[in-house]
Amino acid sequence: MIRVSIVGAAGLVGECLLRGLLGHPQVKLALLVSESAAGKPIGDILPPLRNECDLTAVAATPEEIAKASDLVFTAKKGAETFQTVPGLLKGGAKVIDIGGEFRFRDAAVYEQWYKETHACKDLLAESVYGLPELFREEIRGARLIGNPGCYVTSSTLALAPFVAANVLEDDGIVVDSYSGASGAGRQFNAKQSNLFVDLDENMRAYGVGTHRHTPEIEMGLTRAGGRPVKVTFVPHLAPLDRGILTTIFARPKKDADLTTEKALAILRGFHTKERSPFVRVLNGPGEVAVSNVVRSNYCDISAQVIERTGQLVVASTLDNLVKGAAGQAIQNMNLMFGLDETTGLKGRSL
Amino acid sequence: MIRVSIVGAAGLVGECLLRGLLGHPQVKLALLVSESAAGKPIGDILPPLRNECDLTAVAATPEEIAKASDLVFTAKKGAETFQTVPGLLKGGAKVIDIGGEFRFRDAAVYEQWYKETHACKDLLAESVYGLPELFREEIRGARLIGNPGCYVTSSTLALAPFVAANVLEDDGIVVDSYSGASGAGRQFNAKQSNLFVDLDENMRAYGVGTHRHTPEIEMGLTRAGGRPVKVTFVPHLAPLDRGILTTIFARPKKDADLTTEKALAILRGFHTKERSPFVRVLNGPGEVAVSNVVRSNYCDISAQVIERTGQLVVASTLDNLVKGAAGQAIQNMNLMFGLDETTGLKGRSL
Amino acid sequence: MIRVSIVGAAGLVGECLLRGLLGHPQVKLALLVSESAAGKPIGDILPPLRNECDLTAVAATPEEIAKASDLVFTAKKGAETFQTVPGLLKGGAKVIDIGGEFRFRDAAVYEQWYKETHACKDLLAESVYGLPELFREEIRGARLIGNPGCYVTSSTLALAPFVAANVLEDDGIVVDSYSGASGAGRQFNAKQSNLFVDLDENMRAYGVGTHRHTPEIEMGLTRAGGRPVKVTFVPHLAPLDRGILTTIFARPKKDADLTTEKALAILRGFHTKERSPFVRVLNGPGEVAVSNVVRSNYCDISAQVIERTGQLVVASTLDNLVKGAAGQAIQNMNLMFGLDETTGLKGRSL
Amino acid sequence: MIRVSIVGAAGLVGECLLRGLLGHPQVKLALLVSESAAGKPIGDILPPLRNECDLTAVAATPEEIAKASDLVFTAKKGAETFQTVPGLLKGGAKVIDIGGEFRFRDAAVYEQWYKETHACKDLLAESVYGLPELFREEIRGARLIGNPGCYVTSSTLALAPFVAANVLEDDGIVVDSYSGASGAGRQFNAKQSNLFVDLDENMRAYGVGTHRHTPEIEMGLTRAGGRPVKVTFVPHLAPLDRGILTTIFARPKKDADLTTEKALAILRGFHTKERSPFVRVLNGPGEVAVSNVVRSNYCDISAQVIERTGQLVVASTLDNLVKGAAGQAIQNMNLMFGLDETTGLKGRSL
């Protein structure tokens, strides 16, 4: 059994992680670390989990956590992450960080987009970007994972096959995404006034040109394509609890002679059952519906070439808290500990 | 007072029209025509309007309707429209048709996209496309108006300024739209199983490459630009009652040297108070929110040029039942009868 | 024209009041007072009202406000209200207070339920409870109105006819209410974490046994019945933006021999067109639907006697921001200034 | 392994059952029977289950089904149920029927409330009402279970402890319930026009005095109390996908001297861990929230005595498709086959 702890157990991702780990056949929960909730039974912090888990949240130092754990999921941001992760690794635990702090090998990119000094630059060289469909082998051997962002996962899984096949004009790739409110997390929500009265029956863009997931999407595609790729990324808030729907537009290269059939073949060729056990390639963008993936670890994708304009349309959907965060993190854990990648994730809702 | 009748009063657009006309200072309601609801008081058909309107729905021939009316709003589809409109005009009434039947001068376009024979081709030459911001003068003199589609209005008002200014590459214009469920109408909803259990907490594309509003968007832009314009249009269902949010992506011409400032200047230069009393140009796409326009006749628009990619992003929102249907129809009526264009529409929720 | 000012214009009720007053034929808006938003155009504070109103929010003393106004709506709470209202009255303005501070003649009741000292006890003797269906004549002559609570209006309009007819056992009257999130106001919402992620797809009771509207419901019924009436009131949060649905249960007196027909007759006899222009008595509880009254000043009510158990069921619905707040306030204003009570309220959505 | 088949696999309850059975460690899925969907892979009928289950829906006679199965869940209504169940039993399979056909021992009650002739009266004597918290021992030995209704489960689990303790006046018990739209099932939804445009932002009562769950609630309470109990039951539609919130009002007997503490003690004394592994008794009605139970098999309950009026308020919530249907059915299956009652249900979301 893998002894697993969570730092930041009281948030929305923490709850989702806990659901996943409680039903995981190879996991023994060790410490649920939460400064703000220390001393409280988990059922008091996360009422849906009453009677499901009799652990109590604790405050603990990285050393104490590492001693009790083979693996630690860290779900904090910025300074708190930088204060925690080195001690965990030093203490011998492996770490999967759900935040943005260990996703970029280049600290400058982090500092530019996150407006924060990176205090653990020395760890970046060994950190591995936790997108199994692209970096499975590296993940297997890693002791520090930067778990991908939610928008990023939906975009990269949809675009990487086409970028790898080199069938798109690099100029003018557009990623238009819509996310449910849980994407922001409960604390961020409170700060940003994401109230019911403001989101209900409403939709709007935010972070246009500045959203932190932009360089992360480009990083994955650049690595997938072996050449620099840029995208125009526009995130929106939608009146959903969970779920992201991403629609991607790109112009195929003239000589690629791309058709809908070829586009679907490219998706299916890339996302084989072996490479992508949680990606389902469907027959058309109209089949890609948020409600089909919510609470699962699946990402549903399809594509269509619009004959009249020659434009490629790719649709992609996933649950921002599962394949976009906690589920993908568990998938990474499975890989790091030599388990079947789908253990505790197939046949489950988180 | 203008004597006004509605054919198809029992639907969602009919209800919205009724709300608008009941509070209109220059309108006297004549006949509310509905085969299916004939004999019922309006309050029984549309319970929100109980005590607001003591008319009773009637069945009536085009001749009878025309005799009682100066203007008739027709809110039907296909054959029913073709059976009604000629008689109304012959009887001396003016007509504003809310459906798609009189929007195209070229019957072949209608027949191709609507999969229906056009039975009133002879009326197309005189029919006027009812988008006041583009065709105000023609509307003033018209006796038959094809009232624009909802997606089309949101797209055309946002794109026409840029197309008219000739600052965009014609290749690769993308219109990505999200609509609330009322866009489909109640009857269509029932047929297509747009149930609460299917739409709640869900989003998905539909009609990709085939939606009827595609040629209509292109027609308006082609007329605005004086050259053929094509778009890739992808409509989606969103868990909203009312409202459309459209995000448009386009590549500026190199020599246009487009910046966010210039883009906003183009929007403001086009949508002056005189030309566009119901268009509000805002400072950035993040300010364009569905909840700010719902139930009003406003269309809120803004734009931003993404510096890193050079891409133009235009955001546009309106209420599909108001500026996208009933409100715009009343705006057209005001023009046709020499009233101030905003009469009965400013300061109101429909 | 009545010169009207609003103190607390930036909240949800303020927005609704503004909508109502902007379209009111006898009103000239004077000052929109908001400490926090002073200096900002109203369109920046309340984006739906851009281009509808070119006033700017101001900070002003009660004396300044009174000088500029014939009537002031105050939409603040506790200390802020007590600091404002006396100066307004002294300066010669009439006042309609939307908060709870002037609803009770007995300051002790206020202090017990609101946990706050009442600092304007001397004004209570002349303050009038602003429920036109019960206290129309007093309202006409008042210079200070305590505008009723939202739950209270829905409950009192539904129960008063039966209490007045003395057909109910006083023991065991139950008021079970469900409100949309706007009932709490935007500020209160932020404090109480009424986030989308917490309210969406959720329902729960709150304030059981302690909600401040309890004594207010009892006050109205006690005055309607001429004898003390107590109720068990349980409010709930529902995933709605606006609207309250109240279901009332009561046991008829044996000798009242109450049937559904008699119950409906009692409602219709009480809520005549003259007494209750905004109450619609419907044929059964199943016809009482939130969506039929939202954004209007109507309160829809119906009743049924369950034959098997003899229990009376009364259903009632209204929009908490309109008949439950801003619309009722405008109705009171109309009465205080000798206008037709429905002026600016019929045929409108706020 | 128990060989399990589902008749009516394509509906909302069928989907939920499938989720539960796919993750159940002691179940082998045999036949998924659906006339309308015969020949289609389950992933095409229920897209969320793509890749989770590679079975294909079939048409089959009761004999064929029985041969392949140890247990059959039947999720049909009326005539279809009557045509299926006898053959299944005759063929040696056990049956858990999710519909209302085998809940009442007295066929007359069924016929009165369901307006349908009961065609299997001979089976009623042996059918067992599948509410484990009340009838566990009978369930263990049964070969035919009538699985309880959703409203009924939420009401009975909340009221039975008080009825059994005989602390309530039998006169005037009120059950006020709110259900999400999935309660009606997809087919019923389509027939009854439960469209998004009608349910979104709406709430209303239905079936007042006539809802079929009324006699079923009374049957359970009558058996729990050993004396006839009647209730006034009012169901409502709420803008939720899943979940029921029930608020119960009752007058305690004078000599019961009921307090909140005593009420909670009665609930906790009844719903021990042994008797009620899926009932969580919470500290007050405000803690009983739909979102805490959705997708789980839990029913959360709490109670409060309102001191000012002496009234007992009991709040209860569950997921109509899980503890209100599919989850409870699996709980019954576990009992019938000698498994731990919580197998495949704890730690899971369905």
Side-chain angles (χ1 to χ4, degrees):
Chain A
M1 299 291 274
I2 316 166
R3 298 172 306 150
V4 176
S5 296
I6 304 175
V7 176
L12 293 172
V13 169
E15 176 177 344
C16 207
L17 263 175
L18 256 172
R19 282 182 190 278
L21 296 171
L22 283 166
H24 193 290
Q26 299 296 324
V27 163
K28 187 185 168 335
L29 279 171
L31 302 178
L32 306 181
V33 184
S34 168
E35 289 286 329
S36 63
K40 287 191 191 166
I42 282 299
D44 286 7
I45 309 165
L46 301 170
L49 297 180
R50 279 186 188 118
N51 291 21
E52 296 277 297
C53 169
D54 52 10
L55 286 169
T56 292
V58 297
T61 64
E63 289 66 36
E64 292 164 344
I65 303 166
K67 203 167 170 184
S69 318
D70 301 310
L71 175 77
V72 183
F73 292 101
T74 49
K76 310 294 280 185
K77 285 172 193 286
E80 291 187 279
T81 300
F82 296 132
Q83 284 155 23
T84 308
V85 169
L88 295 174
L89 293 173
K90 207 170 166 186
K94 294 182 177 181
V95 174
I96 296 176
D97 180 54
I98 314 279
E101 280 63 29
F102 295 100
R103 293 176 190 161
F104 302 97
R105 291 206 176 148
D106 183 351
V109 176
Y110 174 83
E111 296 185 337
Q112 178 193 343
W113 290 83
Y114 284 67
K115 314 286 177 208
E116 194 143 359
T117 303
H118 199 296
C120 298
K121 292 194 176 73
D122 53 317
L123 293 173
L124 292 179
E126 69 162 306
S127 75
V128 170
Y129 189 65
L131 191 61
E133 291 80 2
L134 291 182
F135 307 110
R136 181 170 285 107
E137 289 315 311
E138 298 179 46
I139 293 165
R140 284 205 168 103
R143 74 174 185 152
L144 172 57
I145 295 281
N147 207 60
C150 49
Y151 286 122
V152 186
T153 301
S154 82
S155 308
T156 309
L157 293 177
L159 261 172
F162 297 102
V163 168
N166 201 5
V167 295
L168 302 181
E169 295 288 344
D170 287 347
D171 179 21
I173 298 177
V174 162
V175 176
D176 198 27
S177 279
Y178 293 74
S179 171
S182 63
R186 195 172 269 133
Q187 282 195 307
F188 183 78
N189 261 303
K191 267 187 224 141
Q192 298 291 317
S193 294
N194 287 349
L195 301 174
F196 188 86
V197 289
D198 289 319
L199 291 184
D200 179 51
E201 301 290 323
N202 197 10
M203 290 180 84
R204 62 177 177 81
Y206 70 101
V208 181
T210 63
H211 195 283
R212 296 163 170 190
H213 285 182
T214 312
E216 197 184 328
I217 297 171
E218 294 179 348
M219 179 189 69
L221 295 178
T222 293
R223 291 177 67 181
R227 63 186 186 287
V229 178
K230 284 193 175 178
V231 301
T232 297
F233 171 55
V234 178
H236 295 78
L237 277 170
L240 305 163
D241 178 7
R242 289 167 162 216
I244 284 177
L245 183 64
T246 295
T247 311
I248 290 161
F249 300 90
R251 289 172 305 135
K253 284 187 173 163
K254 286 274 141 61
D255 58 11
D257 211 13
L258 201 65
T259 61
T260 296
E261 274 184 23
K262 279 192 196 170
L264 291 173
I266 287 171
L267 284 176
R268 293 196 172 109
F270 189 96
H271 290 301
T272 59
K273 280 204 173 172
E274 293 68 37
R275 186 201 286 239
S276 305
F278 290 110
V279 175
R280 301 185 293 203
V281 178
L282 308 180
N283 293 323
E287 292 190 4
V288 175
V290 171
S291 63
N292 289 341
V293 298
V294 162
R295 294 179 185 261
S296 84
N297 200 48
Y298 286 107
C299 177
D300 280 4
I301 301 177
S302 194
Q304 182 174 334
V305 174
I306 310 296
E307 284 182 33
R308 300 173 56 260
T309 61
Q311 195 89 4
L312 172 70
V313 176
V314 192
S316 166
T317 188
L318 51 72
D319 185 320
N320 50 296
L321 293 179
V322 189
K323 184 61 179 169
Q328 182 137 279
I330 292 172
Q331 193 178 351
N332 284 322
M333 177 193 75
N334 288 339
L335 287 167
M336 291 163 83
F337 286 83
L339 304 176
D340 180 299
E341 191 170 346
T342 66
T343 311
L345 291 171
K346 278 254 177 174
R348 302 204 54 213
S349 293
L350 306 190
Chain B
M1 299 292 274
I2 316 165
R3 298 173 305 149
V4 177
S5 295
I6 303 175
V7 177
L12 292 173
V13 169
E15 176 177 343
C16 207
L17 262 175
L18 255 172
R19 281 181 192 279
L21 297 172
L22 282 166
H24 194 291
Q26 299 297 325
V27 163
K28 189 185 169 334
L29 280 169
L31 302 178
L32 306 181
V33 183
S34 167
E35 289 287 329
S36 63
K40 288 191 191 166
I42 281 300
D44 286 7
I45 310 165
L46 303 170
L49 297 180
R50 279 186 188 118
N51 290 21
E52 297 275 299
C53 171
D54 53 10
L55 286 168
T56 292
V58 297
T61 65
E63 290 65 35
E64 291 164 344
I65 304 166
K67 201 169 171 184
S69 318
D70 301 309
L71 175 77
V72 183
F73 293 101
T74 50
K76 309 295 278 184
K77 286 171 194 287
E80 291 187 278
T81 300
F82 296 132
Q83 284 156 21
T84 309
V85 168
L88 294 174
L89 292 172
K90 208 170 167 186
K94 296 182 178 183
V95 174
I96 297 177
D97 180 53
I98 314 279
E101 280 62 29
F102 295 100
R103 294 177 189 160
F104 302 96
R105 290 207 175 147
D106 182 351
V109 175
Y110 174 84
E111 296 185 337
Q112 177 192 343
W113 289 83
Y114 285 68
K115 315 283 177 211
E116 194 141 1
T117 303
H118 199 295
C120 298
K121 292 196 178 73
D122 53 318
L123 292 174
L124 291 179
E126 68 163 306
S127 75
V128 170
Y129 190 65
L131 191 60
E133 293 79 1
L134 291 181
F135 308 109
R136 180 169 287 108
E137 289 315 310
E138 298 179 46
I139 294 165
R140 285 208 168 101
R143 74 175 186 150
L144 172 57
I145 296 281
N147 207 60
C150 49
Y151 286 121
V152 185
T153 301
S154 82
S155 309
T156 309
L157 294 177
L159 261 172
F162 297 103
V163 168
N166 201 5
V167 295
L168 303 181
E169 295 288 344
D170 285 347
D171 179 21
I173 298 177
V174 163
V175 176
D176 198 27
S177 279
Y178 294 73
S179 172
S182 64
R186 192 170 271 135
Q187 280 195 306
F188 183 78
N189 260 304
K191 268 187 227 144
Q192 298 291 315
S193 294
N194 286 349
L195 301 174
F196 188 86
V197 291
D198 289 319
L199 291 183
D200 180 51
E201 302 289 323
N202 197 9
M203 291 179 84
R204 62 176 177 82
Y206 69 102
V208 182
T210 62
H211 195 284
R212 297 164 171 189
H213 285 182
T214 313
E216 197 184 328
I217 297 171
E218 294 178 346
M219 177 189 71
L221 295 177
T222 294
R223 291 177 67 180
R227 63 186 185 285
V229 178
K230 284 193 175 178
V231 301
T232 298
F233 171 55
V234 178
H236 295 79
L237 276 171
L240 304 163
D241 177 8
R242 289 168 162 214
I244 285 177
L245 182 64
T246 295
T247 310
I248 291 161
F249 301 89
R251 288 173 305 134
K253 284 189 172 161
K254 284 275 142 56
D255 58 8
D257 211 14
L258 202 65
T259 61
T260 297
E261 273 184 24
K262 277 192 197 173
L264 291 173
I266 286 171
L267 284 176
R268 293 196 173 109
F270 189 95
H271 290 302
T272 59
K273 282 205 172 171
E274 293 67 37
R275 185 201 288 237
S276 305
F278 290 110
V279 176
R280 300 184 294 201
V281 178
L282 307 180
N283 293 322
E287 292 190 4
V288 175
V290 171
S291 63
N292 290 340
V293 299
V294 162
R295 293 179 185 262
S296 84
N297 200 46
Y298 286 106
C299 177
D300 282 3
I301 301 177
S302 194
Q304 182 175 333
V305 174
I306 310 297
E307 284 183 32
R308 300 173 55 260
T309 61
Q311 195 91 3
L312 173 70
V313 176
V314 192
S316 165
T317 188
L318 51 71
D319 185 319
N320 51 295
L321 293 179
V322 188
K323 184 62 178 167
Q328 183 139 279
I330 292 172
Q331 191 178 351
N332 284 323
M333 175 193 77
N334 288 339
L335 287 167
M336 291 163 84
F337 286 84
L339 304 177
D340 180 299
E341 190 169 345
T342 66
T343 309
L345 291 171
K346 279 255 177 173
R348 303 206 52 214
S349 293
L350 303 190
Chain C
M1 301 291 275
I2 315 166
R3 298 172 305 150
V4 177
S5 296
I6 303 175
V7 176
L12 292 173
V13 170
E15 177 177 342
C16 207
L17 262 176
L18 255 172
R19 281 182 192 277
L21 296 172
L22 282 167
H24 194 290
Q26 300 295 325
V27 163
K28 189 187 166 335
L29 280 171
L31 302 177
L32 306 182
V33 184
S34 167
E35 290 286 330
S36 64
K40 287 191 192 166
I42 281 300
D44 286 7
I45 311 165
L46 303 169
L49 296 181
R50 278 185 188 119
N51 291 21
E52 296 278 297
C53 169
D54 52 10
L55 286 169
T56 292
V58 297
T61 65
E63 290 66 34
E64 291 165 343
I65 304 166
K67 202 167 168 184
S69 318
D70 301 310
L71 175 77
V72 183
F73 293 100
T74 50
K76 310 294 281 183
K77 286 173 192 285
E80 290 187 280
T81 301
F82 296 133
Q83 284 156 21
T84 309
V85 168
L88 295 173
L89 292 172
K90 208 170 165 187
K94 295 182 177 182
V95 174
I96 296 176
D97 180 54
I98 313 279
E101 280 63 26
F102 295 100
R103 294 176 189 161
F104 302 97
R105 290 206 175 149
D106 183 350
V109 176
Y110 174 84
E111 295 185 337
Q112 178 193 342
W113 289 83
Y114 284 67
K115 315 286 179 209
E116 193 141 2
T117 303
H118 199 295
C120 298
K121 292 194 177 74
D122 54 317
L123 292 174
L124 292 179
E126 68 163 304
S127 75
V128 170
Y129 189 65
L131 192 60
E133 291 80 1
L134 291 181
F135 308 112
R136 179 169 288 107
E137 289 315 311
E138 298 179 46
I139 293 165
R140 285 207 167 101
R143 75 175 183 149
L144 173 57
I145 296 282
N147 207 60
C150 50
Y151 286 122
V152 185
T153 301
S154 82
S155 308
T156 309
L157 294 177
L159 261 171
F162 297 101
V163 169
N166 202 5
V167 295
L168 303 181
E169 295 289 343
D170 286 347
D171 180 21
I173 298 177
V174 162
V175 176
D176 197 27
S177 280
Y178 294 73
S179 172
S182 63
R186 194 171 271 134
Q187 281 196 306
F188 183 78
N189 260 303
K191 269 188 223 141
Q192 299 291 315
S193 295
N194 286 350
L195 300 174
F196 188 86
V197 290
D198 289 320
L199 291 183
D200 180 53
E201 300 290 322
N202 197 11
M203 290 180 84
R204 61 177 178 81
Y206 69 101
V208 182
T210 62
H211 195 284
R212 296 163 171 190
H213 285 181
T214 313
E216 197 184 327
I217 297 171
E218 294 179 346
M219 178 189 70
L221 295 177
T222 294
R223 291 176 69 180
R227 64 188 185 285
V229 179
K230 284 193 176 178
V231 301
T232 297
F233 170 56
V234 177
H236 295 77
L237 276 171
L240 304 164
D241 177 8
R242 290 167 162 213
I244 284 177
L245 183 65
T246 294
T247 310
I248 291 161
F249 301 90
R251 288 173 305 135
K253 284 187 171 161
K254 286 274 144 56
D255 58 9
D257 211 12
L258 202 64
T259 60
T260 297
E261 273 183 25
K262 278 193 196 170
L264 290 174
I266 287 172
L267 283 176
R268 293 195 173 110
F270 189 94
H271 290 301
T272 59
K273 281 204 174 171
E274 293 68 38
R275 185 201 285 238
S276 305
F278 291 110
V279 176
R280 301 185 293 202
V281 177
L282 307 180
N283 292 324
E287 292 190 5
V288 175
V290 171
S291 63
N292 289 341
V293 299
V294 162
R295 295 184 183 257
S296 84
N297 199 48
Y298 286 106
C299 177
D300 280 4
I301 300 176
S302 193
Q304 182 174 333
V305 174
I306 309 296
E307 283 184 32
R308 299 173 57 260
T309 62
Q311 196 90 3
L312 173 69
V313 177
V314 192
S316 166
T317 188
L318 51 72
D319 185 320
N320 50 296
L321 294 180
V322 188
K323 184 62 179 169
Q328 182 138 277
I330 292 172
Q331 193 179 351
N332 283 322
M333 176 192 76
N334 288 339
L335 287 167
M336 291 163 83
F337 287 83
L339 305 176
D340 180 299
E341 191 169 346
T342 66
T343 310
L345 292 170
K346 278 255 178 173
R348 301 206 53 213
S349 294
L350 304 189
Chain D
M1 301 291 276
I2 316 164
R3 297 172 306 149
V4 177
S5 295
I6 304 175
V7 176
L12 292 173
V13 169
E15 176 178 344
C16 207
L17 262 175
L18 254 173
R19 282 181 189 278
L21 297 171
L22 281 167
H24 194 289
Q26 300 296 325
V27 163
K28 188 183 167 339
L29 280 171
L31 302 178
L32 306 182
V33 183
S34 168
E35 289 287 330
S36 63
K40 288 191 191 167
I42 281 300
D44 286 7
I45 310 166
L46 302 169
L49 296 181
R50 279 187 188 117
N51 291 20
E52 297 276 298
C53 170
D54 51 12
L55 287 168
T56 292
V58 297
T61 65
E63 291 64 35
E64 292 164 344
I65 303 167
K67 201 169 172 185
S69 318
D70 302 310
L71 175 76
V72 182
F73 294 100
T74 49
K76 310 294 278 183
K77 286 173 192 288
E80 290 187 279
T81 300
F82 296 132
Q83 284 156 21
T84 309
V85 168
L88 295 173
L89 293 172
K90 208 171 168 188
K94 295 183 178 183
V95 174
I96 297 177
D97 180 53
I98 313 280
E101 279 63 27
F102 295 99
R103 294 177 189 160
F104 302 97
R105 291 208 174 147
D106 183 350
V109 176
Y110 175 85
E111 296 185 337
Q112 178 192 342
W113 290 84
Y114 284 68
K115 314 286 178 210
E116 195 141 0
T117 302
H118 199 295
C120 298
K121 292 195 177 71
D122 53 317
L123 292 173
L124 291 179
E126 69 163 303
S127 75
V128 170
Y129 189 65
L131 191 61
E133 292 80 1
L134 292 180
F135 307 111
R136 180 170 288 107
E137 289 315 312
E138 297 179 47
I139 294 165
R140 284 207 168 100
R143 75 175 183 147
L144 172 57
I145 296 281
N147 207 59
C150 49
Y151 286 122
V152 186
T153 301
S154 82
S155 308
T156 309
L157 294 178
L159 261 171
F162 298 102
V163 168
N166 201 3
V167 295
L168 302 181
E169 295 289 345
D170 286 346
D171 179 21
I173 298 177
V174 163
V175 177
D176 197 27
S177 280
Y178 294 73
S179 172
S182 63
R186 194 170 269 135
Q187 281 196 307
F188 183 77
N189 260 303
K191 267 187 226 142
Q192 298 292 315
S193 294
N194 286 349
L195 300 175
F196 188 87
V197 290
D198 289 320
L199 292 183
D200 180 51
E201 302 289 322
N202 197 10
M203 291 180 84
R204 61 177 179 80
Y206 69 101
V208 182
T210 62
H211 195 283
R212 296 163 171 189
H213 286 182
T214 312
E216 196 183 328
I217 297 171
E218 294 178 346
M219 177 190 70
L221 296 177
T222 294
R223 292 177 67 181
R227 62 188 185 285
V229 179
K230 284 194 176 176
V231 301
T232 298
F233 170 55
V234 178
H236 295 78
L237 276 171
L240 303 163
D241 176 9
R242 290 167 161 214
I244 284 177
L245 182 65
T246 295
T247 309
I248 291 160
F249 302 89
R251 288 171 307 133
K253 284 187 172 163
K254 285 276 142 56
D255 59 9
D257 211 12
L258 200 65
T259 61
T260 297
E261 274 183 23
K262 278 192 196 170
L264 290 174
I266 286 171
L267 284 176
R268 293 196 172 108
F270 189 95
H271 289 302
T272 59
K273 280 204 174 173
E274 293 68 37
R275 185 201 285 239
S276 305
F278 291 110
V279 176
R280 302 184 293 202
V281 178
L282 307 181
N283 293 322
E287 292 190 4
V288 176
V290 171
S291 63
N292 290 340
V293 299
V294 163
R295 294 179 184 261
S296 85
N297 199 46
Y298 286 107
C299 176
D300 281 3
I301 301 177
S302 193
Q304 182 175 334
V305 175
I306 309 295
E307 285 184 31
R308 299 171 56 260
T309 61
Q311 196 89 5
L312 173 69
V313 177
V314 192
S316 166
T317 188
L318 52 70
D319 185 320
N320 50 296
L321 293 180
V322 189
K323 184 62 177 167
Q328 183 139 277
I330 292 172
Q331 193 178 352
N332 283 323
M333 176 193 76
N334 288 339
L335 287 167
M336 292 162 83
F337 286 84
L339 304 177
D340 180 300
E341 190 169 345
T342 66
T343 310
L345 291 170
K346 278 253 177 176
R348 302 206 52 215
S349 292
L350 305 189

